[in-house]
Amino acid sequence: NGVVVRLAQGRKDWAAYEDIYQQSLARWGENATSRYSHRLFQELADVKHPDIRLWLAFLGDAVAAGAVCCDGPDHVIYWHGAADSTLFHLRPVNLLMSEIASDAARRGKTWFDLNPSGGHEGVRVFKERMGGLSVPSPVVVTPAHQPRLFFRAMGWIGRKLARTEAE
C-alpha cells in the first residue's frame, strides 16, 4: 500500500512523530494515561543514544505511525507509540512492529518486549493479536522527564529482567 518503514534521521522526524502523538492524545482524550512533554521528545532527539531508536512508518512524506524502542542486552523494548488514525486502514503499525521485530532478530535480540498498554484497551488488543503475552510488570514513576532518569530506569529494568531469566 505504499507504506515504508525506516529509522528516524533527525529532529524533523522526531517533530513529525510528536505531531502524530498529539493526534493520538486528542483521540484518547480523557482516557490518556500519560502525557509527555515537547521537551522530552526534543531531548530524545538530541541525545542520539544508540540504544534509543525511533522507528517511523511513512505514506509518502506523511508519518503514518511511529514507535520509540530501547535496546536491552538481549531484547528490544517498545516504549512508546503513536499513529495517525486516518491511516489505520493501511495497517502502518502492523508493518512497523514487523520491521522492528525483524531488525531485532537480525541484530541477535532474543525477544521483543511490547511493554504495558497504559490501560488502553485498543492497544492491549493489538498487542494480544500480535501474539503478545500479558505478564506482571513493575512500573517506574518519576516526577521529572529527564533522559538521565530514563536511562537509569531502563538499566534497572534490564538488570531485573536478566535476574528473572537467570532464575
Side-chain angles (χ1 to χ4, degrees):
N1 292 322
V3 177
V4 176
V5 173
R6 69 166 171 80
L7 286 168
Q9 298 174 347
R11 258 186 182 238
K12 182 180 174 187
D13 284 346
W14 279 91
Y17 175 73
E18 186 180 353
D19 287 345
I20 63 166
Y21 170 56
Q22 292 301 324
Q23 290 176 22
S24 294
L25 285 176
R27 184 174 68 250
W28 294 329
E30 293 296 316
N31 294 325
T33 55
S34 60
R35 293 183 185 276
Y36 296 106
S37 70
H38 172 69
R39 181 175 165 221
L40 174 66
F41 293 104
Q42 284 184 314
E43 289 184 13
L44 287 172
D46 289 344
V47 76
K48 296 178 177 65
H49 194 284
D51 290 341
I52 298 175
R53 297 166 181 240
L54 171 60
W55 289 88
L56 298 169
F58 286 88
L59 180 63
D61 292 333
V63 174
V68 179
C69 295
C70 304
D71 280 4
D74 60 352
H75 61 289
V76 171
I77 302 163
Y78 172 45
W79 174 69
H80 191 269
D84 181 339
S85 63
T86 67
L87 300 174
F88 278 177
H89 66 284
L90 298 174
R91 306 282 188 221
V93 179
N94 297 50
L95 179 61
L96 189 65
M97 293 294 118
S98 176
E99 290 297 316
I100 293 167
S102 294
D103 175 75
R106 280 191 299 275
R107 294 184 301 117
K109 305 296 183 181
T110 56
W111 51 283
F112 184 17
D113 181 350
L114 298 174
N115 240 330
S117 301
H120 300 286
E121 184 63 11
V123 175
R124 186 195 64 74
V125 169
F126 174 80
K127 291 176 180 181
E128 188 176 274
R129 286 182 182 158
M130 281 182 48
L133 302 174
S134 182
V135 296
S137 175
V139 176
V140 178
V141 178
T142 162
H145 299 293
Q146 298 175 8
R148 135 179 91 76
L149 291 173
F150 180 73
F151 290 123
R152 283 185 22 213
M154 293 306 298
W156 178 85
I157 291 168
R159 288 188 301 277
K160 176 107 173 132
L161 291 171
R163 282 195 304 266
T164 302
E165 283 182 355
E167 295 170 355

